[in-house]
Structures are given as structure tokens and as C-alpha cells.
Coordinates of all heavy atoms in Angstrom, one line a residue:
M18 N 95.6 90.3 92.1 CA 96.1 90.5 93.4 C 95.1 90.0 94.4 O 93.9 90.2 94.2 CB 96.5 91.9 93.7 CG 97.6 92.5 93.0 SD 98.0 94.1 93.5 CE 99.6 93.9 94.1
Q19 N 95.5 89.4 95.5 CA 94.7 88.9 96.5 C 94.7 89.8 97.7 O 95.7 90.2 98.2 CB 95.1 87.5 97.0 CG 94.4 86.9 98.1 CD 92.9 86.5 97.7 OE1 92.7 86.1 96.6 NE2 92.0 86.7 98.6
A20 N 93.5 90.1 98.2 CA 93.3 91.0 99.4 C 93.4 90.1 100.6 O 93.0 88.9 100.6 CB 92.0 91.7 99.3
A21 N 94.0 90.6 101.6 CA 94.2 89.9 102.9 C 93.7 90.7 104.0 O 94.1 91.9 104.1 CB 95.6 89.4 103.1
V22 N 93.0 90.1 105.0 CA 92.5 90.8 106.1 C 93.1 90.1 107.3 O 92.9 88.9 107.5 CB 91.0 90.8 106.2 CG1 90.5 91.5 107.5 CG2 90.4 91.6 105.0
E23 N 93.7 90.8 108.2 CA 94.2 90.2 109.5 C 93.5 90.9 110.6 O 93.4 92.1 110.7 CB 95.7 90.6 109.6 CG 96.6 90.0 108.6 CD 98.0 90.5 108.8 OE1 98.5 90.5 109.9 OE2 98.6 91.0 107.8
I24 N 93.0 90.1 111.5 CA 92.3 90.6 112.7 C 93.0 90.0 113.9 O 93.3 88.8 113.9 CB 90.8 90.1 112.7 CG1 90.1 90.7 111.5 CG2 90.2 90.5 114.0 CD1 88.7 90.1 111.4
T25 N 93.4 90.9 114.8 CA 94.1 90.4 116.0 C 93.3 90.9 117.3 O 92.8 92.0 117.3 CB 95.5 90.9 116.1 OG1 95.5 92.3 116.0 CG2 96.3 90.3 115.0
R26 N 93.3 90.1 118.3 CA 92.6 90.4 119.5 C 93.6 91.2 120.4 O 94.8 90.8 120.5 CB 92.3 89.1 120.2 CG 91.5 89.2 121.5 CD 91.2 87.9 122.2 NE 90.9 86.8 121.3 CZ 89.7 86.4 121.0 NH1 88.6 87.0 121.6 NH2 89.4 85.4 120.2
R27 N 93.1 92.3 121.0 CA 93.9 93.1 121.9 C 93.1 93.3 123.1 O 92.4 94.3 123.3 CB 94.2 94.5 121.2 CG 95.0 94.4 120.0 CD 96.4 94.0 120.4 NE 97.3 93.8 119.2 CZ 98.0 92.8 119.0 NH1 98.0 91.8 119.8 NH2 98.7 92.7 117.9
G28 N 93.2 92.4 124.1 CA 92.4 92.4 125.3 C 91.1 91.8 125.1 O 90.8 91.1 124.1
D29 N 90.2 92.0 126.1 CA 88.9 91.3 126.1 C 88.0 91.9 125.0 O 87.3 91.1 124.3 CB 88.2 91.5 127.4 CG 88.6 90.4 128.4 OD1 89.3 89.5 128.0 OD2 88.3 90.5 129.6
R30 N 88.0 93.1 124.8 CA 87.0 93.8 123.9 C 87.6 94.7 122.9 O 86.9 95.6 122.4 CB 86.0 94.6 124.8 CG 85.2 93.7 125.7 CD 84.0 93.1 125.0 NE 83.2 92.3 125.9 CZ 82.4 91.4 125.6 NH1 82.2 91.2 124.3 NH2 81.7 90.8 126.4
R31 N 88.8 94.5 122.5 CA 89.4 95.3 121.5 C 90.1 94.5 120.5 O 90.7 93.5 120.8 CB 90.4 96.3 122.1 CG 89.8 97.3 123.0 CD 89.2 98.4 122.2 NE 88.4 99.3 123.1 CZ 87.2 99.7 122.9 NH1 86.5 99.3 121.8 NH2 86.6 100.5 123.7
F32 N 89.9 94.9 119.2 CA 90.5 94.2 118.1 C 91.1 95.2 117.1 O 90.7 96.3 117.0 CB 89.4 93.4 117.4 CG 88.7 92.4 118.3 CD1 87.6 92.8 119.0 CD2 89.1 91.1 118.3 CE1 86.9 91.9 119.8 CE2 88.5 90.2 119.2 CZ 87.4 90.6 119.9
N33 N 92.1 94.7 116.4 CA 92.8 95.5 115.3 C 92.5 94.8 114.0 O 92.5 93.6 113.9 CB 94.3 95.5 115.5 CG 94.7 96.2 116.8 OD1 93.9 97.0 117.4 ND2 95.9 96.0 117.3
A34 N 92.3 95.6 113.0 CA 92.1 95.1 111.6 C 93.1 95.7 110.7 O 93.3 96.9 110.7 CB 90.7 95.5 111.2
Y35 N 93.7 94.8 109.9 CA 94.7 95.3 108.9 C 94.3 94.7 107.6 O 93.9 93.6 107.5 CB 96.1 94.8 109.3 CG 96.5 95.2 110.7 CD1 96.5 94.2 111.7 CD2 97.0 96.4 110.9 CE1 96.8 94.6 113.0 CE2 97.4 96.8 112.2 CZ 97.3 95.9 113.3 OH 97.7 96.2 114.5
V36 N 94.5 95.5 106.5 CA 94.2 95.1 105.2 C 95.4 95.2 104.3 O 96.1 96.2 104.3 CB 93.0 95.9 104.5 CG1 92.8 95.5 103.1 CG2 91.8 95.8 105.4
G37 N 95.8 94.1 103.7 CA 96.9 94.1 102.8 C 96.5 93.6 101.4 O 95.4 93.0 101.2
I38 N 97.3 94.0 100.4 CA 96.9 93.6 99.0 C 98.1 93.0 98.3 O 99.1 93.7 98.0 CB 96.4 94.8 98.2 CG1 95.2 95.4 99.0 CG2 96.0 94.4 96.8 CD1 94.7 96.7 98.5
G39 N 98.1 91.7 98.2 CA 99.1 91.0 97.4 C 100.5 90.9 98.0 O 101.0 89.8 98.2
D40 N 101.2 92.0 98.2 CA 102.6 91.9 98.5 C 102.9 91.8 100.0 O 104.0 91.8 100.4 CB 103.3 93.1 97.9 CG 102.8 94.4 98.5 OD1 101.9 94.4 99.4 OD2 103.3 95.5 98.1
G41 N 101.9 91.7 100.9 CA 102.0 91.6 102.3 C 102.1 93.0 103.0 O 102.2 93.0 104.2
T42 N 102.2 94.0 102.3 CA 102.2 95.4 102.9 C 100.8 95.7 103.4 O 99.8 95.5 102.7 CB 102.7 96.4 101.8 OG1 104.0 96.0 101.3 CG2 102.8 97.8 102.4
R43 N 100.8 96.3 104.5 CA 99.5 96.7 105.1 C 99.1 98.1 104.5 O 99.9 99.0 104.6 CB 99.5 96.8 106.6 CG 99.7 95.5 107.2 CD 99.8 95.6 108.7 NE 99.8 94.3 109.3 CZ 100.1 94.1 110.6 NH1 100.4 95.0 111.4 NH2 100.1 92.8 111.1
H44 N 98.0 98.1 103.8 CA 97.5 99.4 103.2 C 96.5 100.1 104.0 O 96.1 101.2 103.7 CB 96.9 99.1 101.8 CG 98.0 98.5 100.9 ND1 98.8 99.4 100.2 CD2 98.3 97.3 100.5 CE1 99.7 98.7 99.5 NE2 99.4 97.4 99.6
H45 N 95.9 99.4 105.0 CA 94.9 100.0 105.9 C 95.0 99.4 107.2 O 95.1 98.2 107.3 CB 93.5 99.8 105.3 CG 92.4 100.2 106.1 ND1 92.0 101.6 106.2 CD2 91.6 99.6 107.0 CE1 91.0 101.7 107.0 NE2 90.7 100.5 107.5
A46 N 94.9 100.2 108.3 CA 94.9 99.7 109.6 C 93.9 100.5 110.5 O 93.8 101.7 110.3 CB 96.3 99.8 110.2
H47 N 93.2 99.7 111.3 CA 92.3 100.4 112.2 C 92.4 99.6 113.5 O 92.1 98.4 113.6 CB 90.9 100.4 111.7 CG 90.0 101.4 112.3 ND1 88.9 101.9 111.7 CD2 90.0 102.0 113.6 CE1 88.3 102.8 112.5 NE2 89.0 102.8 113.6
E48 N 92.8 100.3 114.6 CA 93.1 99.6 115.8 C 92.0 100.0 116.9 O 91.4 101.1 116.8 CB 94.5 100.0 116.3 CG 95.5 99.5 115.3 CD 96.9 99.8 115.8 OE1 97.2 100.6 116.6 OE2 97.9 99.1 115.2
G49 N 91.8 99.1 117.8 CA 90.9 99.4 118.9 C 89.4 99.3 118.6 O 88.6 99.9 119.3
L50 N 89.1 98.5 117.6 CA 87.7 98.3 117.2 C 87.0 97.4 118.3 O 87.6 96.5 118.9 CB 87.6 97.7 115.9 CG 88.1 98.6 114.7 CD1 88.2 97.8 113.4 CD2 87.1 99.7 114.5
P51 N 85.7 97.6 118.5 CA 85.0 96.9 119.6 C 84.6 95.5 119.3 O 84.2 94.8 120.3 CB 83.8 97.8 119.8 CG 83.5 98.4 118.5 CD 84.9 98.6 117.9
S52 N 84.7 95.0 118.1 CA 84.2 93.6 117.8 C 84.9 93.1 116.5 O 85.4 93.9 115.7 CB 82.7 93.6 117.7 OG 82.3 94.3 116.5
V53 N 84.8 91.8 116.4 CA 85.3 91.2 115.2 C 84.4 91.6 114.0 O 84.9 91.9 112.9 CB 85.3 89.6 115.3 CG1 85.7 89.0 114.0 CG2 86.3 89.2 116.4
A54 N 83.1 91.7 114.2 CA 82.2 92.1 113.2 C 82.6 93.5 112.7 O 82.6 93.8 111.5 CB 80.8 92.1 113.6
R55 N 82.9 94.4 113.6 CA 83.3 95.8 113.2 C 84.6 95.8 112.4 O 84.8 96.5 111.5 CB 83.4 96.6 114.4 CG 83.7 98.1 114.1 CD 82.5 98.7 113.4 NE 82.8 100.0 112.9 CZ 83.1 100.3 111.7 NH1 83.1 99.4 110.7 NH2 83.5 101.6 111.4
C56 N 85.5 94.9 112.7 CA 86.8 94.7 112.0 C 86.4 94.3 110.5 O 87.0 94.8 109.6 CB 87.7 93.7 112.6 SG 88.4 94.2 114.2
L57 N 85.5 93.3 110.4 CA 85.2 92.9 109.1 C 84.5 94.0 108.2 O 84.8 94.1 107.0 CB 84.2 91.7 109.2 CG 84.8 90.4 109.7 CD1 83.8 89.4 110.1 CD2 85.8 89.8 108.7
Q58 N 83.6 94.7 108.8 CA 83.0 95.9 108.1 C 84.0 96.9 107.7 O 84.0 97.4 106.6 CB 81.9 96.5 109.0 CG 80.7 95.6 109.2 CD 79.7 96.1 110.3 OE1 80.2 96.8 111.2 NE2 78.5 95.8 110.1
D59 N 84.9 97.2 108.6 CA 86.0 98.2 108.3 C 86.8 97.7 107.2 O 87.2 98.5 106.3 CB 86.8 98.4 109.6 CG 87.8 99.5 109.4 OD1 87.4 100.7 109.3 OD2 89.0 99.2 109.3
A60 N 87.2 96.5 107.2 CA 88.1 95.9 106.2 C 87.3 95.9 104.8 O 87.9 96.3 103.8 CB 88.5 94.5 106.5
A61 N 86.1 95.5 104.8 CA 85.3 95.5 103.6 C 85.2 96.9 103.0 O 85.3 97.1 101.8 CB 83.9 94.9 103.9
A62 N 85.0 97.9 103.9 CA 84.9 99.3 103.4 C 86.2 99.7 102.8 O 86.2 100.4 101.8 CB 84.5 100.2 104.6
A63 N 87.3 99.3 103.4 CA 88.6 99.7 102.9 C 88.9 99.0 101.5 O 89.5 99.6 100.6 CB 89.7 99.3 103.8
L64 N 88.4 97.8 101.3 CA 88.6 97.1 100.1 C 87.6 97.6 99.0 O 87.9 97.5 97.8 CB 88.4 95.6 100.3 CG 89.4 94.9 101.1 CD1 89.0 93.5 101.5 CD2 90.8 94.9 100.4
G65 N 86.5 98.1 99.4 CA 85.5 98.6 98.4 C 85.0 97.6 97.4 O 84.9 96.4 97.7
H66 N 84.8 98.0 96.2 CA 84.3 97.1 95.2 C 85.4 96.6 94.3 O 85.1 95.9 93.3 CB 83.2 97.8 94.3 CG 82.0 98.2 95.1 ND1 81.1 97.3 95.6 CD2 81.6 99.5 95.6 CE1 80.2 98.0 96.3 NE2 80.4 99.3 96.3
E67 N 86.6 96.9 94.6 CA 87.7 96.5 93.8 C 88.1 95.0 93.9 O 88.7 94.4 93.1 CB 88.9 97.3 94.1 CG 88.7 98.8 93.7 CD 90.0 99.6 94.0 OE1 91.1 99.1 93.8 OE2 89.8 100.7 94.5
F68 N 87.7 94.4 95.1 CA 88.0 93.0 95.3 C 86.7 92.2 95.6 O 85.9 92.7 96.4 CB 88.9 92.9 96.5 CG 90.3 93.5 96.3 CD1 90.5 94.9 96.6 CD2 91.3 92.8 95.7 CE1 91.7 95.5 96.3 CE2 92.5 93.4 95.4 CZ 92.7 94.7 95.7
S69 N 86.6 91.0 95.1 CA 85.5 90.2 95.3 C 85.7 89.4 96.6 O 84.7 89.1 97.3 CB 85.3 89.2 94.1 OG 85.0 90.0 93.0
Y70 N 86.9 88.9 96.8 CA 87.2 88.0 98.0 C 88.4 88.5 98.7 O 89.2 89.2 98.1 CB 87.5 86.6 97.5 CG 86.2 85.8 97.1 CD1 85.7 86.0 95.8 CD2 85.6 85.0 97.9 CE1 84.6 85.3 95.4 CE2 84.4 84.3 97.6 CZ 84.0 84.5 96.3 OH 82.8 83.8 95.9
A71 N 88.5 88.1 100.0 CA 89.6 88.4 100.8 C 90.0 87.2 101.6 O 89.1 86.5 102.1 CB 89.4 89.6 101.7
T72 N 91.2 87.0 101.8 CA 91.7 85.9 102.7 C 91.7 86.5 104.1 O 92.2 87.6 104.3 CB 93.1 85.5 102.3 OG1 93.1 85.0 101.0 CG2 93.6 84.4 103.3
V73 N 91.1 85.8 105.0 CA 90.9 86.3 106.4 C 91.7 85.4 107.4 O 91.6 84.2 107.4 CB 89.5 86.4 106.8 CG1 89.3 86.9 108.3 CG2 88.7 87.3 105.9
S74 N 92.5 86.1 108.2 CA 93.2 85.4 109.3 C 92.8 86.1 110.6 O 92.5 87.3 110.7 CB 94.7 85.4 109.1 OG 95.2 86.7 109.1
F75 N 92.8 85.3 111.7 CA 92.4 85.8 113.0 C 93.5 85.3 114.0 O 93.7 84.1 114.1 CB 91.0 85.2 113.4 CG 90.5 85.8 114.6 CD1 89.7 87.0 114.6 CD2 90.8 85.3 115.9 CE1 89.2 87.6 115.7 CE2 90.3 85.8 117.0 CZ 89.5 87.0 117.0
D76 N 94.1 86.2 114.7 CA 95.2 85.9 115.6 C 96.2 85.0 115.0 O 96.6 83.9 115.5 CB 94.6 85.2 116.9 CG 94.0 86.3 117.8 OD1 94.3 87.5 117.7 OD2 93.2 85.8 118.8
N77 N 96.6 85.3 113.8 CA 97.7 84.7 113.1 C 97.3 83.3 112.6 O 98.2 82.4 112.3 CB 99.0 84.6 113.9 CG 99.6 86.0 114.1 OD1 99.6 86.8 113.2 ND2 100.0 86.3 115.3
V78 N 96.0 82.9 112.5 CA 95.6 81.7 112.0 C 94.8 81.9 110.8 O 93.8 82.7 110.8 CB 94.7 80.9 113.0 CG1 94.1 79.6 112.4 CG2 95.5 80.6 114.3
L79 N 95.2 81.4 109.6 CA 94.5 81.6 108.4 C 93.1 80.8 108.5 O 93.1 79.6 108.7 CB 95.3 81.0 107.2 CG 94.6 81.1 105.8 CD1 94.4 82.6 105.5 CD2 95.5 80.5 104.8
I80 N 92.0 81.5 108.3 CA 90.7 80.9 108.4 C 90.1 80.6 107.1 O 89.6 79.5 106.9 CB 89.8 81.9 109.2 CG1 90.3 82.3 110.5 CG2 88.4 81.3 109.3 CD1 90.5 81.2 111.5
G81 N 90.2 81.4 106.1 CA 89.7 81.1 104.8 C 89.4 82.4 103.9 O 89.8 83.5 104.3
N82 N 88.8 82.1 102.8 CA 88.4 83.2 101.9 C 87.0 83.6 102.0 O 86.1 82.7 102.1 CB 88.7 82.8 100.4 CG 90.2 82.7 100.1 OD1 90.9 83.6 100.5 ND2 90.6 81.7 99.4
Y83 N 86.7 84.8 102.1 CA 85.3 85.3 102.2 C 85.0 86.4 101.2 O 85.9 87.2 100.9 CB 85.1 85.9 103.6 CG 85.1 84.8 104.7 CD1 86.3 84.4 105.3 CD2 83.9 84.2 105.1 CE1 86.3 83.4 106.2 CE2 83.9 83.2 106.0 CZ 85.1 82.8 106.6 OH 85.1 81.8 107.5
P84 N 83.8 86.4 100.7 CA 83.4 87.5 99.8 C 83.3 88.8 100.5 O 82.8 88.9 101.7 CB 82.0 87.1 99.3 CG 81.8 85.6 99.6 CD 82.7 85.4 100.8
V85 N 83.9 89.8 99.9 CA 84.0 91.1 100.6 C 82.5 91.7 100.9 O 82.3 92.2 101.9 CB 84.8 92.1 99.7 CG1 84.7 93.5 100.3 CG2 86.2 91.7 99.7
A86 N 81.6 91.5 99.9 CA 80.2 91.9 100.1 C 79.6 91.2 101.3 O 78.9 91.9 102.1 CB 79.4 91.7 98.9
V87 N 79.9 90.0 101.5 CA 79.3 89.3 102.7 C 80.0 89.8 104.0 O 79.3 89.9 105.0 CB 79.5 87.7 102.5 CG1 79.1 87.0 103.8 CG2 78.7 87.2 101.4
M88 N 81.3 90.1 103.9 CA 81.9 90.6 105.1 C 81.3 92.0 105.5 O 81.1 92.3 106.7 CB 83.4 90.9 104.8 CG 84.2 89.6 104.8 SD 85.9 89.8 104.1 CE 86.5 91.3 104.8
A89 N 80.9 92.7 104.5 CA 80.3 94.0 104.7 C 78.8 93.9 105.3 O 78.5 94.6 106.2 CB 80.3 94.9 103.5
H90 N 78.0 93.1 104.7 CA 76.6 93.0 105.0 C 76.2 92.0 105.9 O 75.0 92.0 106.4 CB 75.8 92.9 103.6 CG 76.1 94.1 102.7 ND1 75.7 95.4 103.0 CD2 76.8 94.1 101.6 CE1 76.1 96.1 102.0 NE2 76.8 95.4 101.1
R91 N 77.0 91.0 106.2 CA 76.7 89.9 107.1 C 77.8 89.7 108.1 O 78.2 88.6 108.4 CB 76.3 88.6 106.4 CG 75.1 88.8 105.5 CD 74.7 87.6 104.8 NE 74.5 86.5 105.7 CZ 74.8 85.2 105.3 NH1 75.3 84.9 104.2 NH2 74.7 84.2 106.2
A92 N 78.4 90.8 108.6 CA 79.6 90.8 109.4 C 79.4 90.0 110.7 O 80.3 89.3 111.1 CB 80.0 92.2 109.7
V93 N 78.2 90.1 111.3 CA 78.0 89.3 112.6 C 78.1 87.8 112.3 O 78.8 87.1 113.1 CB 76.7 89.8 113.2 CG1 76.4 88.9 114.4 CG2 76.8 91.2 113.7
E94 N 77.4 87.4 111.3 CA 77.5 85.9 111.0 C 78.9 85.5 110.6 O 79.3 84.4 111.0 CB 76.5 85.6 109.8 CG 75.0 85.8 110.2 CD 74.5 87.2 109.9 OE1 75.3 88.1 109.7 OE2 73.2 87.3 109.9
V95 N 79.6 86.3 109.8 CA 81.0 85.9 109.4 C 81.8 85.9 110.7 O 82.7 85.0 110.8 CB 81.5 86.8 108.3 CG1 83.0 86.5 108.0 CG2 80.7 86.7 107.0
A96 N 81.7 86.9 111.5 CA 82.5 86.9 112.8 C 82.2 85.7 113.6 O 83.2 85.1 114.1 CB 82.1 88.2 113.6
D97 N 81.0 85.3 113.7 CA 80.7 84.1 114.5 C 81.3 82.8 113.9 O 81.9 82.0 114.6 CB 79.2 83.8 114.6 CG 78.4 84.8 115.5 OD1 79.1 85.5 116.3 OD2 77.2 84.9 115.4
E98 N 81.3 82.7 112.6 CA 81.9 81.6 111.8 C 83.4 81.6 112.0 O 84.0 80.6 112.3 CB 81.6 81.7 110.4 CG 82.1 80.6 109.6 CD 81.8 80.6 108.1 OE1 80.6 81.0 107.8 OE2 82.6 80.3 107.3
L99 N 84.0 82.8 112.0 CA 85.5 82.9 112.2 C 85.9 82.4 113.6 O 86.8 81.6 113.7 CB 86.0 84.4 112.1 CG 86.0 85.0 110.7 CD1 86.3 86.5 110.9 CD2 86.9 84.3 109.8
L100 N 85.1 82.8 114.6 CA 85.4 82.4 116.0 C 85.2 80.9 116.2 O 86.0 80.2 116.9 CB 84.6 83.2 117.0 CG 84.9 84.7 117.0 CD1 83.9 85.4 117.8 CD2 86.3 84.9 117.5
V101 N 84.2 80.3 115.5 CA 84.0 78.8 115.6 C 85.2 78.1 114.9 O 85.7 77.2 115.5 CB 82.6 78.5 115.0 CG1 82.5 77.0 114.8 CG2 81.5 78.9 115.9
K102 N 85.5 78.6 113.7 CA 86.6 77.9 113.0 C 87.9 78.0 113.8 O 88.7 77.1 113.8 CB 86.8 78.5 111.6 CG 85.7 78.0 110.7 CD 85.9 78.6 109.3 CE 84.9 78.0 108.3 NZ 85.2 78.5 106.9
L103 N 88.2 79.2 114.4 CA 89.4 79.4 115.1 C 89.4 78.4 116.3 O 90.4 77.8 116.6 CB 89.5 80.8 115.6 CG 90.8 81.1 116.4 CD1 92.0 81.0 115.6 CD2 90.7 82.6 117.0
S104 N 88.3 78.3 117.0 CA 88.2 77.4 118.2 C 88.4 76.0 117.8 O 89.1 75.2 118.5 CB 86.8 77.6 118.9 OG 86.7 76.7 119.9
N105 N 87.8 75.6 116.7 CA 87.9 74.2 116.2 C 89.4 73.9 115.8 O 89.9 72.8 116.2 CB 87.0 74.0 115.0 CG 85.6 73.9 115.4 OD1 85.2 73.7 116.5 ND2 84.7 74.1 114.4
R106 N 90.1 74.8 115.2 CA 91.5 74.6 114.8 C 92.4 74.5 116.1 O 93.3 73.7 116.1 CB 91.9 75.6 113.9 CG 91.3 75.5 112.5 CD 91.9 76.4 111.5 NE 91.1 76.2 110.3 CZ 91.2 76.9 109.2 NH1 92.0 78.0 109.2 NH2 90.5 76.7 108.2
R107 N 92.1 75.3 117.0 CA 92.9 75.3 118.2 C 92.7 74.0 119.0 O 93.6 73.5 119.6 CB 92.7 76.6 119.1 CG 93.3 77.8 118.4 CD 93.2 79.0 119.3 NE 94.0 80.1 118.7 CZ 93.9 81.3 119.0 NH1 93.0 81.7 120.0 NH2 94.6 82.2 118.4
T108 N 91.4 73.6 119.1 CA 91.1 72.3 119.8 C 91.8 71.1 119.1 O 92.3 70.3 119.8 CB 89.5 72.1 119.8 OG1 88.9 73.3 120.4 CG2 89.2 70.9 120.5
R109 N 91.8 71.1 117.8 CA 92.4 70.0 117.1 C 93.9 70.0 117.3 O 94.5 68.9 117.5 CB 92.2 70.0 115.6 CG 90.8 69.5 115.2 CD 90.7 69.4 113.8 NE 90.4 70.8 113.4 CZ 90.0 71.2 112.2 NH1 89.8 70.4 111.3 NH2 89.7 72.5 112.0
H110 N 94.6 71.1 117.4 CA 96.0 71.2 117.5 C 96.5 70.9 118.9 O 97.6 70.5 119.2 CB 96.5 72.6 117.1 CG 96.4 72.8 115.6 ND1 96.9 71.9 114.7 CD2 95.9 73.8 114.9 CE1 96.7 72.4 113.5 NE2 96.1 73.5 113.6
S111 N 95.6 71.1 119.9 CA 96.0 70.9 121.3 C 95.6 69.5 121.7 O 96.0 69.0 122.8 CB 95.3 71.9 122.2 OG 93.9 71.7 122.2
A112 N 94.9 68.7 120.9 CA 94.5 67.4 121.3 C 95.6 66.4 121.0 O 96.5 66.5 120.3 CB 93.2 67.0 120.5

């Protein structure tokens, strides 16, 4: 089964994190988190050691697969990468 993490922006400084496993059902939700990095850490904690990788989407845009351990321990760097990839995809689609 593939783990999936969905992060959505809710205003300037609030984010929601949802974790699903395989069938699209959300098994974990945490709303109102203060940063994308905190969403990643929360999702990694929910996934635990049972999953090596998770597919991550941000604001309904599929970004890619990330190791759960990296999401947990290097959340700030992964968050920065997610935001850059999201920006690049939106720039290409609007051009």
C-alpha cells in the first residue's frame, strides 16, 4: 500500500495535513498547523516506521514521493523543495 500526504493552505499562516493509505481514505488529519514543515513532521509521525515513502501533494498538485524519515528529520528542507516545485509547476502552466 502507498501512503499519501495531502497538504493544503488555509490562509496566510495555516495549513492542513491529511494522511491516507492506499484506498484514498483519510486516516489522519491535523488542521491549523503553522507551517508546511510542521505538516510534514505531523504526517511522518502518523505514518511511523510502517512506510518508507509517501506521495506528497500540496494544494491539490502532486509533487512527488519522499522518504518518510526525511520528512520527519529534514522537514524544513523538504517544505522548501515542495514550495519551489509547486511554484515551478504553476509558472509553467500559466505560461
Side-chain angles (χ1 to χ4, degrees):
M18 291 184 119
Q19 177 67 37
V22 175
E23 298 174 45
I24 299 170
T25 56
R26 186 183 318 264
R27 295 291 177 232
D29 276 351
R30 297 277 183 196
R31 293 285 173 228
F32 301 88
N33 297 343
Y35 305 102
V36 176
I38 302 167
D40 62 0
T42 303
R43 292 178 175 167
H44 294 278
H45 175 79
H47 200 151
E48 298 179 344
L50 294 167
S52 68
V53 174
R55 186 65 187 101
C56 289
L57 292 167
Q58 290 170 329
D59 184 72
L64 292 168
H66 297 289
E67 296 180 39
F68 295 91
S69 298
Y70 286 84
T72 300
V73 178
S74 63
F75 187 91
D76 283 343
N77 296 316
V78 176
L79 180 63
I80 303 295
N82 290 316
Y83 289 87
V85 173
V87 173
M88 289 169 40
H90 300 292
R91 296 183 53 216
V93 172
E94 291 92 342
V95 175
D97 289 344
E98 183 178 321
L99 289 174
L100 294 171
V101 167
K102 286 184 175 183
L103 180 67
S104 176
N105 289 343
R106 289 187 182 170
R107 287 186 173 163
T108 300
R109 278 185 286 196
H110 290 311
S111 66

